[in-house]
Amino acid sequence: MAWATSALTQLAGAVALERRGRGEGFEEGSLTVDGPKLAVQTIPGLQSQLVCPGDVVSAEPGALRGRGVVERADGKLVATTCGVVEHVNKLLYVRPLKHRYAGSVGDVVVGRIVEVQTDRWAVEIGTAQLAYLHLGAIHLPGNVQRRRTDEDTLRIREFFDENDLISAEVQKIQESGELALQTRNSRYGKLQNGVLACVPSVYVRRQAQHLVNLPRVGVMVVLGNNGWVWVCAPPKVAGSGRQETINFSQMDVRYQKVHPDMRERISRVRNSVLCLVGYGLEVTPDSITFLYERSQKLQLQAWELLDTARCESAGLVESLVAATQSTEH
């Protein structure tokens, strides 16, 4: 379970932290503290550690100072915000634990249509500015490949309308910070038959797959890098009742009645996502599946995952801690 891994990898140019403390052996002006260092999950190529404002971050000579780091008079680098230290080649910066999503090219996002304009849609994805999806950047229903015409402009509301939830990919970031989206992939498009969970974007990192069918659960999740997680029944092509095939297109999925058993599974997966975030754990397909199956073994109802006291009394928290510790040894 890589989502629970906290052991730091041995990388060149490792980052070391010094913290202020008032435990045993503390001296005024000392920058060391007894006890283990706080650590968070790592991903290949990065070594991550938690820092608080005032923590001294020392790196190899010649490190480039990025955002969230300042240089003191004695030449040491000090963190100015609470977050995770990221060390990419020579660049050293602090990624805040909670911040407004800014967007990066290639990110998979979940958004809501807030305005339909002449040839584009304004999309709310949690950024400081609205993102925009142009008519020429969408995947047409039926996997049709052709140039957009004036007729498509007149039928623009037939593709997406206000309050529609969509999955898309960040195509470009303008100089003003405005994000341009695209849904040219057949798996992107309008989202149906599910529920939305909104969490801080820091808990959903870039992964190999963001549109995943959980095999042992029978539910599909769309993990948006902006922190919007869509949980739904596996999509079926309208009128056929079949699961997605090689010719599948998300634009062809329509609203269908979801039976009670599937509703219960969707609710449990959604609440598992919120429970993971409540305990500061990363949201991945593996972590969702683990918490889903563990809650079933402990005979917890779906709604009880949102109750901290019930989760602790049932031993769910101990299970998460044990899973974390087992991967460390």
Side-chain angles (χ1 to χ4, degrees), residues 119-156:
D119 59 349
R120 66 177 186 174
W121 296 268
V123 187
E124 171 60 46
I125 60 173
T127 51
Q129 304 180 56
L130 293 176
Y132 290 93
L133 174 63
H134 287 264
L135 181 61
I138 70 170
H139 187 84
L140 294 176
N143 290 319
V144 177
Q145 303 292 332
R146 60 173 174 79
R147 294 176 62 89
R148 308 303 183 263
T149 63
D150 293 338
E151 183 180 353
D152 293 324
T153 304
L154 296 176
R155 299 173 52 238
I156 189 170

PDB file of all heavy atoms in Angstrom, residues 119-156:
ATOM      1  N   ASP A 119     -19.080  30.507 -27.823  1.00  0.00           N
ATOM      2  CA  ASP A 119     -18.397  29.317 -28.325  1.00  0.00           C
ATOM      3  C   ASP A 119     -17.561  28.637 -27.255  1.00  0.00           C
ATOM      4  O   ASP A 119     -16.607  27.929 -27.554  1.00  0.00           O
ATOM      5  CB  ASP A 119     -17.513  29.676 -29.520  1.00  0.00           C
ATOM      6  CG  ASP A 119     -16.460  30.713 -29.171  1.00  0.00           C
ATOM      7  OD1 ASP A 119     -16.558  31.294 -28.069  1.00  0.00           O
ATOM      8  OD2 ASP A 119     -15.545  30.941 -29.982  1.00  0.00           O
ATOM      9  N   ARG A 120     -17.892  28.868 -25.991  1.00  0.00           N
ATOM     10  CA  ARG A 120     -17.153  28.234 -24.915  1.00  0.00           C
ATOM     11  C   ARG A 120     -17.994  28.206 -23.643  1.00  0.00           C
ATOM     12  O   ARG A 120     -19.030  28.866 -23.540  1.00  0.00           O
ATOM     13  CB  ARG A 120     -15.831  28.974 -24.653  1.00  0.00           C
ATOM     14  CG  ARG A 120     -15.991  30.386 -24.114  1.00  0.00           C
ATOM     15  CD  ARG A 120     -14.649  31.009 -23.819  1.00  0.00           C
ATOM     16  NE  ARG A 120     -14.778  32.313 -23.170  1.00  0.00           N
ATOM     17  CZ  ARG A 120     -13.758  33.029 -22.696  1.00  0.00           C
ATOM     18  NH1 ARG A 120     -12.520  32.561 -22.820  1.00  0.00           N
ATOM     19  NH2 ARG A 120     -13.950  34.196 -22.118  1.00  0.00           N
ATOM     20  N   TRP A 121     -17.517  27.405 -22.677  1.00  0.00           N
ATOM     21  CA  TRP A 121     -18.168  27.285 -21.384  1.00  0.00           C
ATOM     22  C   TRP A 121     -17.217  27.792 -20.293  1.00  0.00           C
ATOM     23  O   TRP A 121     -16.008  27.540 -20.351  1.00  0.00           O
ATOM     24  CB  TRP A 121     -18.514  25.834 -21.083  1.00  0.00           C
ATOM     25  CG  TRP A 121     -19.501  25.202 -22.014  1.00  0.00           C
ATOM     26  CD1 TRP A 121     -20.853  25.136 -21.870  1.00  0.00           C
ATOM     27  CD2 TRP A 121     -19.204  24.497 -23.230  1.00  0.00           C
ATOM     28  NE1 TRP A 121     -21.417  24.448 -22.921  1.00  0.00           N
ATOM     29  CE2 TRP A 121     -20.433  24.046 -23.775  1.00  0.00           C
ATOM     30  CE3 TRP A 121     -18.021  24.218 -23.918  1.00  0.00           C
ATOM     31  CZ2 TRP A 121     -20.510  23.328 -24.962  1.00  0.00           C
ATOM     32  CZ3 TRP A 121     -18.094  23.516 -25.098  1.00  0.00           C
ATOM     33  CH2 TRP A 121     -19.327  23.071 -25.615  1.00  0.00           C
ATOM     34  N   ALA A 122     -17.777  28.497 -19.313  1.00  0.00           N
ATOM     35  CA  ALA A 122     -17.017  28.872 -18.129  1.00  0.00           C
ATOM     36  C   ALA A 122     -17.204  27.771 -17.086  1.00  0.00           C
ATOM     37  O   ALA A 122     -18.338  27.363 -16.793  1.00  0.00           O
ATOM     38  CB  ALA A 122     -17.494  30.214 -17.581  1.00  0.00           C
ATOM     39  N   VAL A 123     -16.093  27.295 -16.516  1.00  0.00           N
ATOM     40  CA  VAL A 123     -16.117  26.125 -15.638  1.00  0.00           C
ATOM     41  C   VAL A 123     -15.500  26.490 -14.293  1.00  0.00           C
ATOM     42  O   VAL A 123     -14.406  27.061 -14.234  1.00  0.00           O
ATOM     43  CB  VAL A 123     -15.349  24.937 -16.258  1.00  0.00           C
ATOM     44  CG1 VAL A 123     -15.542  23.686 -15.414  1.00  0.00           C
ATOM     45  CG2 VAL A 123     -15.796  24.694 -17.691  1.00  0.00           C
ATOM     46  N   GLU A 124     -16.203  26.163 -13.220  1.00  0.00           N
ATOM     47  CA  GLU A 124     -15.677  26.353 -11.872  1.00  0.00           C
ATOM     48  C   GLU A 124     -14.941  25.083 -11.452  1.00  0.00           C
ATOM     49  O   GLU A 124     -15.528  23.994 -11.386  1.00  0.00           O
ATOM     50  CB  GLU A 124     -16.816  26.633 -10.894  1.00  0.00           C
ATOM     51  CG  GLU A 124     -16.419  26.637  -9.427  1.00  0.00           C
ATOM     52  CD  GLU A 124     -15.377  27.692  -9.105  1.00  0.00           C
ATOM     53  OE1 GLU A 124     -15.537  28.844  -9.559  1.00  0.00           O
ATOM     54  OE2 GLU A 124     -14.393  27.349  -8.423  1.00  0.00           O
ATOM     55  N   ILE A 125     -13.624  25.217 -11.179  1.00  0.00           N
ATOM     56  CA  ILE A 125     -12.831  24.066 -10.752  1.00  0.00           C
ATOM     57  C   ILE A 125     -12.073  24.347  -9.454  1.00  0.00           C
ATOM     58  O   ILE A 125     -11.190  23.574  -9.065  1.00  0.00           O
ATOM     59  CB  ILE A 125     -11.831  23.639 -11.850  1.00  0.00           C
ATOM     60  CG1 ILE A 125     -10.868  24.783 -12.179  1.00  0.00           C
ATOM     61  CG2 ILE A 125     -12.556  23.165 -13.089  1.00  0.00           C
ATOM     62  CD1 ILE A 125      -9.747  24.358 -13.132  1.00  0.00           C
ATOM     63  N   GLY A 126     -12.413  25.450  -8.788  1.00  0.00           N
ATOM     64  CA  GLY A 126     -11.773  25.759  -7.520  1.00  0.00           C
ATOM     65  C   GLY A 126     -10.574  26.666  -7.614  1.00  0.00           C
ATOM     66  O   GLY A 126      -9.913  26.932  -6.607  1.00  0.00           O
ATOM     67  N   THR A 127     -10.254  27.176  -8.807  1.00  0.00           N
ATOM     68  CA  THR A 127      -9.135  28.095  -8.971  1.00  0.00           C
ATOM     69  C   THR A 127      -9.578  29.530  -8.685  1.00  0.00           C
ATOM     70  O   THR A 127     -10.771  29.811  -8.531  1.00  0.00           O
ATOM     71  CB  THR A 127      -8.576  28.007 -10.398  1.00  0.00           C
ATOM     72  OG1 THR A 127      -9.649  28.145 -11.343  1.00  0.00           O
ATOM     73  CG2 THR A 127      -7.901  26.674 -10.628  1.00  0.00           C
ATOM     74  N   ALA A 128      -8.607  30.445  -8.628  1.00  0.00           N
ATOM     75  CA  ALA A 128      -8.936  31.838  -8.358  1.00  0.00           C
ATOM     76  C   ALA A 128      -9.763  32.437  -9.493  1.00  0.00           C
ATOM     77  O   ALA A 128     -10.580  33.329  -9.272  1.00  0.00           O
ATOM     78  CB  ALA A 128      -7.651  32.649  -8.149  1.00  0.00           C
ATOM     79  N   GLN A 129      -9.551  31.956 -10.709  1.00  0.00           N
ATOM     80  CA  GLN A 129     -10.317  32.407 -11.866  1.00  0.00           C
ATOM     81  C   GLN A 129     -11.075  31.230 -12.467  1.00  0.00           C
ATOM     82  O   GLN A 129     -10.696  30.069 -12.278  1.00  0.00           O
ATOM     83  CB  GLN A 129      -9.379  32.991 -12.938  1.00  0.00           C
ATOM     84  CG  GLN A 129      -8.484  34.115 -12.455  1.00  0.00           C
ATOM     85  CD  GLN A 129      -7.591  34.630 -13.568  1.00  0.00           C
ATOM     86  OE1 GLN A 129      -8.068  35.032 -14.623  1.00  0.00           O
ATOM     87  NE2 GLN A 129      -6.284  34.606 -13.339  1.00  0.00           N
ATOM     88  N   LEU A 130     -12.123  31.530 -13.179  1.00  0.00           N
ATOM     89  CA  LEU A 130     -12.865  30.488 -13.860  1.00  0.00           C
ATOM     90  C   LEU A 130     -12.030  29.914 -14.999  1.00  0.00           C
ATOM     91  O   LEU A 130     -11.293  30.630 -15.673  1.00  0.00           O
ATOM     92  CB  LEU A 130     -14.186  31.033 -14.417  1.00  0.00           C
ATOM     93  CG  LEU A 130     -15.237  31.456 -13.400  1.00  0.00           C
ATOM     94  CD1 LEU A 130     -16.448  32.059 -14.117  1.00  0.00           C
ATOM     95  CD2 LEU A 130     -15.666  30.291 -12.526  1.00  0.00           C
ATOM     96  N   ALA A 131     -12.124  28.617 -15.209  1.00  0.00           N
ATOM     97  CA  ALA A 131     -11.488  27.975 -16.349  1.00  0.00           C
ATOM     98  C   ALA A 131     -12.461  27.985 -17.525  1.00  0.00           C
ATOM     99  O   ALA A 131     -13.673  28.160 -17.343  1.00  0.00           O
ATOM    100  CB  ALA A 131     -11.087  26.547 -15.999  1.00  0.00           C
ATOM    101  N   TYR A 132     -11.939  27.799 -18.729  1.00  0.00           N
ATOM    102  CA  TYR A 132     -12.787  27.871 -19.924  1.00  0.00           C
ATOM    103  C   TYR A 132     -12.557  26.649 -20.798  1.00  0.00           C
ATOM    104  O   TYR A 132     -11.426  26.181 -20.974  1.00  0.00           O
ATOM    105  CB  TYR A 132     -12.519  29.148 -20.710  1.00  0.00           C
ATOM    106  CG  TYR A 132     -13.019  30.388 -19.994  1.00  0.00           C
ATOM    107  CD1 TYR A 132     -12.183  31.122 -19.158  1.00  0.00           C
ATOM    108  CD2 TYR A 132     -14.345  30.795 -20.133  1.00  0.00           C
ATOM    109  CE1 TYR A 132     -12.646  32.241 -18.482  1.00  0.00           C
ATOM    110  CE2 TYR A 132     -14.821  31.914 -19.457  1.00  0.00           C
ATOM    111  CZ  TYR A 132     -13.966  32.627 -18.641  1.00  0.00           C
ATOM    112  OH  TYR A 132     -14.439  33.733 -17.965  1.00  0.00           O
ATOM    113  N   LEU A 133     -13.668  26.140 -21.328  1.00  0.00           N
ATOM    114  CA  LEU A 133     -13.654  25.005 -22.239  1.00  0.00           C
ATOM    115  C   LEU A 133     -14.236  25.460 -23.569  1.00  0.00           C
ATOM    116  O   LEU A 133     -15.408  25.832 -23.639  1.00  0.00           O
ATOM    117  CB  LEU A 133     -14.481  23.848 -21.659  1.00  0.00           C
ATOM    118  CG  LEU A 133     -14.697  22.625 -22.565  1.00  0.00           C
ATOM    119  CD1 LEU A 133     -13.363  21.951 -22.877  1.00  0.00           C
ATOM    120  CD2 LEU A 133     -15.649  21.642 -21.900  1.00  0.00           C
ATOM    121  N   HIS A 134     -13.412  25.470 -24.616  1.00  0.00           N
ATOM    122  CA  HIS A 134     -13.854  25.939 -25.923  1.00  0.00           C
ATOM    123  C   HIS A 134     -14.559  24.823 -26.688  1.00  0.00           C
ATOM    124  O   HIS A 134     -14.281  23.633 -26.501  1.00  0.00           O
ATOM    125  CB  HIS A 134     -12.672  26.478 -26.729  1.00  0.00           C
ATOM    126  CG  HIS A 134     -12.171  27.804 -26.241  1.00  0.00           C
ATOM    127  ND1 HIS A 134     -12.560  29.000 -26.790  1.00  0.00           N
ATOM    128  CD2 HIS A 134     -11.324  28.118 -25.232  1.00  0.00           C
ATOM    129  CE1 HIS A 134     -11.963  30.003 -26.154  1.00  0.00           C
ATOM    130  NE2 HIS A 134     -11.202  29.483 -25.201  1.00  0.00           N
ATOM    131  N   LEU A 135     -15.448  25.228 -27.564  1.00  0.00           N
ATOM    132  CA  LEU A 135     -16.225  24.271 -28.351  1.00  0.00           C
ATOM    133  C   LEU A 135     -15.315  23.372 -29.186  1.00  0.00           C
ATOM    134  O   LEU A 135     -15.598  22.185 -29.372  1.00  0.00           O
ATOM    135  CB  LEU A 135     -17.212  25.027 -29.248  1.00  0.00           C
ATOM    136  CG  LEU A 135     -18.132  24.178 -30.133  1.00  0.00           C
ATOM    137  CD1 LEU A 135     -19.022  23.287 -29.274  1.00  0.00           C
ATOM    138  CD2 LEU A 135     -18.985  25.081 -31.026  1.00  0.00           C
ATOM    139  N   GLY A 136     -14.220  23.918 -29.690  1.00  0.00           N
ATOM    140  CA  GLY A 136     -13.309  23.130 -30.513  1.00  0.00           C
ATOM    141  C   GLY A 136     -12.453  22.159 -29.729  1.00  0.00           C
ATOM    142  O   GLY A 136     -11.704  21.381 -30.325  1.00  0.00           O
ATOM    143  N   ALA A 137     -12.540  22.193 -28.391  1.00  0.00           N
ATOM    144  CA  ALA A 137     -11.692  21.335 -27.560  1.00  0.00           C
ATOM    145  C   ALA A 137     -12.482  20.212 -26.899  1.00  0.00           C
ATOM    146  O   ALA A 137     -11.994  19.597 -25.955  1.00  0.00           O
ATOM    147  CB  ALA A 137     -10.999  22.172 -26.486  1.00  0.00           C
ATOM    148  N   ILE A 138     -13.705  19.936 -27.388  1.00  0.00           N
ATOM    149  CA  ILE A 138     -14.506  18.880 -26.783  1.00  0.00           C
ATOM    150  C   ILE A 138     -14.562  17.661 -27.700  1.00  0.00           C
ATOM    151  O   ILE A 138     -14.255  17.748 -28.895  1.00  0.00           O
ATOM    152  CB  ILE A 138     -15.943  19.362 -26.472  1.00  0.00           C
ATOM    153  CG1 ILE A 138     -16.735  19.574 -27.767  1.00  0.00           C
ATOM    154  CG2 ILE A 138     -15.919  20.604 -25.617  1.00  0.00           C
ATOM    155  CD1 ILE A 138     -18.218  19.812 -27.536  1.00  0.00           C
ATOM    156  N   HIS A 139     -14.937  16.546 -27.104  1.00  0.00           N
ATOM    157  CA  HIS A 139     -15.131  15.301 -27.851  1.00  0.00           C
ATOM    158  C   HIS A 139     -16.614  15.209 -28.207  1.00  0.00           C
ATOM    159  O   HIS A 139     -17.474  15.174 -27.331  1.00  0.00           O
ATOM    160  CB  HIS A 139     -14.714  14.112 -26.987  1.00  0.00           C
ATOM    161  CG  HIS A 139     -14.704  12.806 -27.707  1.00  0.00           C
ATOM    162  ND1 HIS A 139     -13.636  12.382 -28.469  1.00  0.00           N
ATOM    163  CD2 HIS A 139     -15.631  11.826 -27.794  1.00  0.00           C
ATOM    164  CE1 HIS A 139     -13.894  11.205 -28.971  1.00  0.00           C
ATOM    165  NE2 HIS A 139     -15.112  10.832 -28.579  1.00  0.00           N
ATOM    166  N   LEU A 140     -16.930  15.153 -29.489  1.00  0.00           N
ATOM    167  CA  LEU A 140     -18.325  15.132 -29.928  1.00  0.00           C
ATOM    168  C   LEU A 140     -18.961  13.774 -29.648  1.00  0.00           C
ATOM    169  O   LEU A 140     -18.290  12.741 -29.669  1.00  0.00           O
ATOM    170  CB  LEU A 140     -18.409  15.448 -31.422  1.00  0.00           C
ATOM    171  CG  LEU A 140     -17.982  16.857 -31.841  1.00  0.00           C
ATOM    172  CD1 LEU A 140     -18.036  16.993 -33.350  1.00  0.00           C
ATOM    173  CD2 LEU A 140     -18.849  17.913 -31.173  1.00  0.00           C
ATOM    174  N   PRO A 141     -20.261  13.750 -29.384  1.00  0.00           N
ATOM    175  CA  PRO A 141     -20.958  12.474 -29.147  1.00  0.00           C
ATOM    176  C   PRO A 141     -20.812  11.539 -30.344  1.00  0.00           C
ATOM    177  O   PRO A 141     -20.763  11.977 -31.498  1.00  0.00           O
ATOM    178  CB  PRO A 141     -22.417  12.903 -28.941  1.00  0.00           C
ATOM    179  CG  PRO A 141     -22.332  14.329 -28.503  1.00  0.00           C
ATOM    180  CD  PRO A 141     -21.150  14.907 -29.209  1.00  0.00           C
ATOM    181  N   GLY A 142     -20.759  10.253 -30.061  1.00  0.00           N
ATOM    182  CA  GLY A 142     -20.646   9.269 -31.122  1.00  0.00           C
ATOM    183  C   GLY A 142     -19.258   9.129 -31.694  1.00  0.00           C
ATOM    184  O   GLY A 142     -19.091   8.525 -32.763  1.00  0.00           O
ATOM    185  N   ASN A 143     -18.240   9.692 -31.015  1.00  0.00           N
ATOM    186  CA  ASN A 143     -16.850   9.638 -31.500  1.00  0.00           C
ATOM    187  C   ASN A 143     -16.698  10.235 -32.897  1.00  0.00           C
ATOM    188  O   ASN A 143     -15.878   9.786 -33.708  1.00  0.00           O
ATOM    189  CB  ASN A 143     -16.322   8.196 -31.499  1.00  0.00           C
ATOM    190  CG  ASN A 143     -16.105   7.664 -30.098  1.00  0.00           C
ATOM    191  OD1 ASN A 143     -15.623   8.375 -29.227  1.00  0.00           O
ATOM    192  ND2 ASN A 143     -16.489   6.412 -29.881  1.00  0.00           N
ATOM    193  N   VAL A 144     -17.493  11.272 -33.183  1.00  0.00           N
ATOM    194  CA  VAL A 144     -17.428  11.928 -34.491  1.00  0.00           C
ATOM    195  C   VAL A 144     -16.190  12.808 -34.551  1.00  0.00           C
ATOM    196  O   VAL A 144     -15.925  13.603 -33.644  1.00  0.00           O
ATOM    197  CB  VAL A 144     -18.698  12.761 -34.747  1.00  0.00           C
ATOM    198  CG1 VAL A 144     -18.600  13.496 -36.081  1.00  0.00           C
ATOM    199  CG2 VAL A 144     -19.924  11.863 -34.724  1.00  0.00           C
ATOM    200  N   GLN A 145     -15.424  12.686 -35.637  1.00  0.00           N
ATOM    201  CA  GLN A 145     -14.224  13.489 -35.843  1.00  0.00           C
ATOM    202  C   GLN A 145     -14.458  14.429 -37.027  1.00  0.00           C
ATOM    203  O   GLN A 145     -14.473  13.993 -38.171  1.00  0.00           O
ATOM    204  CB  GLN A 145     -13.017  12.582 -36.117  1.00  0.00           C
ATOM    205  CG  GLN A 145     -12.726  11.564 -35.028  1.00  0.00           C
ATOM    206  CD  GLN A 145     -12.241  12.206 -33.751  1.00  0.00           C
ATOM    207  OE1 GLN A 145     -11.633  13.289 -33.778  1.00  0.00           O
ATOM    208  NE2 GLN A 145     -12.489  11.557 -32.624  1.00  0.00           N
ATOM    209  N   ARG A 146     -14.690  15.699 -36.743  1.00  0.00           N
ATOM    210  CA  ARG A 146     -14.919  16.678 -37.812  1.00  0.00           C
ATOM    211  C   ARG A 146     -14.680  18.071 -37.265  1.00  0.00           C
ATOM    212  O   ARG A 146     -14.537  18.269 -36.050  1.00  0.00           O
ATOM    213  CB  ARG A 146     -16.353  16.570 -38.346  1.00  0.00           C
ATOM    214  CG  ARG A 146     -17.438  16.809 -37.302  1.00  0.00           C
ATOM    215  CD  ARG A 146     -18.811  16.846 -37.936  1.00  0.00           C
ATOM    216  NE  ARG A 146     -19.871  16.927 -36.945  1.00  0.00           N
ATOM    217  CZ  ARG A 146     -20.246  18.032 -36.313  1.00  0.00           C
ATOM    218  NH1 ARG A 146     -19.592  19.176 -36.552  1.00  0.00           N
ATOM    219  NH2 ARG A 146     -21.230  18.027 -35.435  1.00  0.00           N
ATOM    220  N   ARG A 147     -14.658  19.033 -38.166  1.00  0.00           N
ATOM    221  CA  ARG A 147     -14.492  20.428 -37.769  1.00  0.00           C
ATOM    222  C   ARG A 147     -15.796  20.942 -37.181  1.00  0.00           C
ATOM    223  O   ARG A 147     -16.889  20.508 -37.552  1.00  0.00           O
ATOM    224  CB  ARG A 147     -14.103  21.294 -38.976  1.00  0.00           C
ATOM    225  CG  ARG A 147     -12.739  20.960 -39.551  1.00  0.00           C
ATOM    226  CD  ARG A 147     -12.464  21.793 -40.795  1.00  0.00           C
ATOM    227  NE  ARG A 147     -12.454  23.211 -40.476  1.00  0.00           N
ATOM    228  CZ  ARG A 147     -11.378  23.894 -40.092  1.00  0.00           C
ATOM    229  NH1 ARG A 147     -10.220  23.263 -39.969  1.00  0.00           N
ATOM    230  NH2 ARG A 147     -11.431  25.177 -39.846  1.00  0.00           N
ATOM    231  N   ARG A 148     -15.671  21.890 -36.253  1.00  0.00           N
ATOM    232  CA  ARG A 148     -16.864  22.482 -35.646  1.00  0.00           C
ATOM    233  C   ARG A 148     -17.468  23.496 -36.611  1.00  0.00           C
ATOM    234  O   ARG A 148     -16.753  24.217 -37.315  1.00  0.00           O
ATOM    235  CB  ARG A 148     -16.522  23.151 -34.313  1.00  0.00           C
ATOM    236  CG  ARG A 148     -15.760  22.270 -33.339  1.00  0.00           C
ATOM    237  CD  ARG A 148     -16.510  20.970 -33.023  1.00  0.00           C
ATOM    238  NE  ARG A 148     -15.785  20.190 -32.023  1.00  0.00           N
ATOM    239  CZ  ARG A 148     -14.973  19.206 -32.295  1.00  0.00           C
ATOM    240  NH1 ARG A 148     -14.769  18.856 -33.569  1.00  0.00           N
ATOM    241  NH2 ARG A 148     -14.350  18.537 -31.344  1.00  0.00           N
ATOM    242  N   THR A 149     -18.791  23.541 -36.646  1.00  0.00           N
ATOM    243  CA  THR A 149     -19.510  24.415 -37.571  1.00  0.00           C
ATOM    244  C   THR A 149     -20.393  25.384 -36.797  1.00  0.00           C
ATOM    245  O   THR A 149     -20.508  25.304 -35.563  1.00  0.00           O
ATOM    246  CB  THR A 149     -20.375  23.586 -38.530  1.00  0.00           C
ATOM    247  OG1 THR A 149     -21.372  22.875 -37.759  1.00  0.00           O
ATOM    248  CG2 THR A 149     -19.526  22.576 -39.296  1.00  0.00           C
ATOM    249  N   ASP A 150     -21.036  26.296 -37.534  1.00  0.00           N
ATOM    250  CA  ASP A 150     -21.973  27.224 -36.897  1.00  0.00           C
ATOM    251  C   ASP A 150     -23.153  26.484 -36.276  1.00  0.00           C
ATOM    252  O   ASP A 150     -23.733  26.946 -35.290  1.00  0.00           O
ATOM    253  CB  ASP A 150     -22.477  28.245 -37.926  1.00  0.00           C
ATOM    254  CG  ASP A 150     -21.368  29.171 -38.399  1.00  0.00           C
ATOM    255  OD1 ASP A 150     -20.370  29.299 -37.658  1.00  0.00           O
ATOM    256  OD2 ASP A 150     -21.500  29.764 -39.494  1.00  0.00           O
ATOM    257  N   GLU A 151     -23.519  25.368 -36.858  1.00  0.00           N
ATOM    258  CA  GLU A 151     -24.607  24.570 -36.287  1.00  0.00           C
ATOM    259  C   GLU A 151     -24.249  24.056 -34.898  1.00  0.00           C
ATOM    260  O   GLU A 151     -25.099  24.004 -34.002  1.00  0.00           O
ATOM    261  CB  GLU A 151     -24.923  23.393 -37.215  1.00  0.00           C
ATOM    262  CG  GLU A 151     -26.104  22.550 -36.730  1.00  0.00           C
ATOM    263  CD  GLU A 151     -26.391  21.395 -37.654  1.00  0.00           C
ATOM    264  OE1 GLU A 151     -25.760  21.321 -38.729  1.00  0.00           O
ATOM    265  OE2 GLU A 151     -27.254  20.558 -37.295  1.00  0.00           O
ATOM    266  N   ASP A 152     -22.972  23.693 -34.702  1.00  0.00           N
ATOM    267  CA  ASP A 152     -22.535  23.257 -33.373  1.00  0.00           C
ATOM    268  C   ASP A 152     -22.636  24.401 -32.374  1.00  0.00           C
ATOM    269  O   ASP A 152     -22.981  24.189 -31.205  1.00  0.00           O
ATOM    270  CB  ASP A 152     -21.095  22.747 -33.439  1.00  0.00           C
ATOM    271  CG  ASP A 152     -20.977  21.466 -34.243  1.00  0.00           C
ATOM    272  OD1 ASP A 152     -21.907  20.638 -34.175  1.00  0.00           O
ATOM    273  OD2 ASP A 152     -19.964  21.304 -34.954  1.00  0.00           O
ATOM    274  N   THR A 153     -22.346  25.618 -32.829  1.00  0.00           N
ATOM    275  CA  THR A 153     -22.458  26.784 -31.945  1.00  0.00           C
ATOM    276  C   THR A 153     -23.891  26.988 -31.500  1.00  0.00           C
ATOM    277  O   THR A 153     -24.160  27.333 -30.336  1.00  0.00           O
ATOM    278  CB  THR A 153     -21.932  28.040 -32.654  1.00  0.00           C
ATOM    279  OG1 THR A 153     -20.588  27.809 -33.095  1.00  0.00           O
ATOM    280  CG2 THR A 153     -21.949  29.236 -31.723  1.00  0.00           C
ATOM    281  N   LEU A 154     -24.836  26.787 -32.399  1.00  0.00           N
ATOM    282  CA  LEU A 154     -26.251  26.941 -32.057  1.00  0.00           C
ATOM    283  C   LEU A 154     -26.720  25.832 -31.110  1.00  0.00           C
ATOM    284  O   LEU A 154     -27.651  26.049 -30.315  1.00  0.00           O
ATOM    285  CB  LEU A 154     -27.109  26.940 -33.329  1.00  0.00           C
ATOM    286  CG  LEU A 154     -26.873  28.103 -34.303  1.00  0.00           C
ATOM    287  CD1 LEU A 154     -27.708  27.921 -35.568  1.00  0.00           C
ATOM    288  CD2 LEU A 154     -27.190  29.438 -33.640  1.00  0.00           C
ATOM    289  N   ARG A 155     -26.083  24.673 -31.171  1.00  0.00           N
ATOM    290  CA  ARG A 155     -26.470  23.531 -30.348  1.00  0.00           C
ATOM    291  C   ARG A 155     -25.563  23.383 -29.129  1.00  0.00           C
ATOM    292  O   ARG A 155     -25.501  22.306 -28.520  1.00  0.00           O
ATOM    293  CB  ARG A 155     -26.403  22.253 -31.181  1.00  0.00           C
ATOM    294  CG  ARG A 155     -27.338  22.237 -32.379  1.00  0.00           C
ATOM    295  CD  ARG A 155     -27.110  21.021 -33.272  1.00  0.00           C
ATOM    296  NE  ARG A 155     -27.131  19.772 -32.513  1.00  0.00           N
ATOM    297  CZ  ARG A 155     -26.131  18.892 -32.468  1.00  0.00           C
ATOM    298  NH1 ARG A 155     -24.998  19.157 -33.129  1.00  0.00           N
ATOM    299  NH2 ARG A 155     -26.229  17.777 -31.783  1.00  0.00           N
ATOM    300  N   ILE A 156     -24.896  24.449 -28.737  1.00  0.00           N
ATOM    301  CA  ILE A 156     -23.874  24.347 -27.701  1.00  0.00           C
ATOM    302  C   ILE A 156     -24.441  23.845 -26.375  1.00  0.00           C
ATOM    303  O   ILE A 156     -23.804  23.102 -25.635  1.00  0.00           O
ATOM    304  CB  ILE A 156     -23.154  25.705 -27.522  1.00  0.00           C
ATOM    305  CG1 ILE A 156     -21.935  25.539 -26.607  1.00  0.00           C
ATOM    306  CG2 ILE A 156     -24.110  26.775 -27.002  1.00  0.00           C
ATOM    307  CD1 ILE A 156     -21.043  26.756 -26.563  1.00  0.00           C
TER     308      ILE A 156
END
